[in-house]
Amino acid sequence: MEGDIANMGQFIGAGIAGLGTGLAALGVGNVAGNFLAGALRNPSAAAGQTATLFIGIAFAEALGIFSFLVALLLMFAV
Amino acid sequence: MADTTTEAGAPVAEACVDAGGSAIGMPQLCTEWYANQIFWLLVTLAAIYFILSRVALPRIAAVLAERQGTITNDVASAEEMMLRVREAEAAYEKSLADARAEAKTISDETRAKIQAELDKELSAADARIAEKTAESEKAISEIRETAVENVRLVAADVAAEIVALMGDKADAKAIEAAVAERVKG
Amino acid sequence: MATETEYAEGGSGLVFHPLDQFIVKPLFGDGQVYWYTVTNATLWMALSVLGIMGLLVLGTRGAGTVPSRLQSMAEMTYGFIYKMVEDVSGKDAVRFFPYIFTLFLFILFANVLGLIPTAFTPTTHIAVTAVMALGVFLTVTILGFVLHGGTFLKLFWVSSAPLALRPILAVIELISYMVRPVSHSVRLAGAITAGHAVMKVFAAFAASALIAPLAIGGMVAIYALELLVAFIQAYVFTILTCVYLKDALHPHH
């Protein structure tokens, strides 16, 4: 019984941590959307900023992957 | 994970894989495999670096440089060709202009020569016409003079005859004077 | 704790082993994995070396001024990374180009070859990515101190901020600098692990006839996404390496 409660806690925790992945998706979408809005306003400057775009996406995505990692750890490693 | 090692019943050679061949926990966190992976990773990276720096990168750099050189040469020769084309075009234009100018001078000269000849001929013709006119006028005036003289002689003769017929002895001098007076009048 | 087989026994009958694909096994026999043992990790790393040789050595064999298809691809990859190093890190970073190109090619080939079914993906292992990330971190830090000495520490001293804020900012900058190898390595390993695990979960769902079409369709979609992620993560790892290198070469923002 005690182990079941512990398992339940793990799964609930993993589910909550999984939310972070979706929130990171919001962040990535925000970065990409704003890039697109800026690029449509000034298309000539867009090509030079793709590297910055990817760096921004990478930073936003990294935190989502951290929360995914937390979920995985809760599920399989704790 | 700590309690998996205490499951001593199963003949498991490792701590990270259970008897069924499934992973216990995350395989990524199995410290037993770290040394192996790190060793082979370093070998792999060294191999890739060796391949790249000894063979691939110099070759690709050489190919790119050669292509750049070829392109530069081609562009340069194309520019040279273009220059030559321009020169040829300029020469052509120049010769065309020269020819046109020459043609103009030739036609001008010819026209002037023709004009001069024409003028000469015209003046000669004028002179001849004038000469002829003078001659003709002279002949006409001569004819007129002889005609007046003849009229006078005939009139004098006729007057003398008429006077003789009337029975008079004509005085030649008087007749002549009378005729001269009549003719003149 | 409970293993996955127990979940399966207690659960719906579907058997999930999404992480079994990451197990390191000896290629010959079932012995202990020692540091020198030839394992499946060795095999797939060796295959990525072969792939790189195929692209960059066999592809450029003709060395023609007018390139063949494969040579064109090799030159494109070369030009892509060369331009990235030059643009992001500056012209004087070009001497590090071979190292960066090595990292990029290894990650790219390991990611893409790992997508072959039943393959092992070395880049899913934190041990592998951490060695690469730590290598970059140590190289960049040592290079910064060698080139700039103590003035390299000005990287943490944001001179454009108000004076009162600078110590706080310095602490934040220092922490974010120290976290770099962690995020650098976990990003790559996490993204690739996540994709592979999700595909495995979809594959397990395909065992039930009712939802098999949906599961297989989902797998195809995830596979396409993973192919994209394989390239993007290689690109991101490389470009972050370039950014860190720029900090070491030109620490004065």
Side-chain angles (χ1 to χ4, degrees), chain C residues 71-92:
Chain C
Q71 191 189 334
S72 188
M73 271 176 72
E75 284 170 13
M76 249 167 61
T77 321
Y78 177 96
F80 179 61
I81 301 300
Y82 195 88
K83 194 171 172 301
M84 188 202 286
V85 174
E86 209 175 80
D87 287 354
V88 178
S89 313
K91 286 232 184 288
D92 48 345

Side-chain angles (χ1 to χ4, degrees), chain C residues 199-219:
Chain C
M199 271 198 279
K200 210 68 168 183
V201 170
F202 270 101
F205 274 122
S208 146
L210 201 63
I211 49 171
L214 200 66
I216 291 169
M219 256 184 94

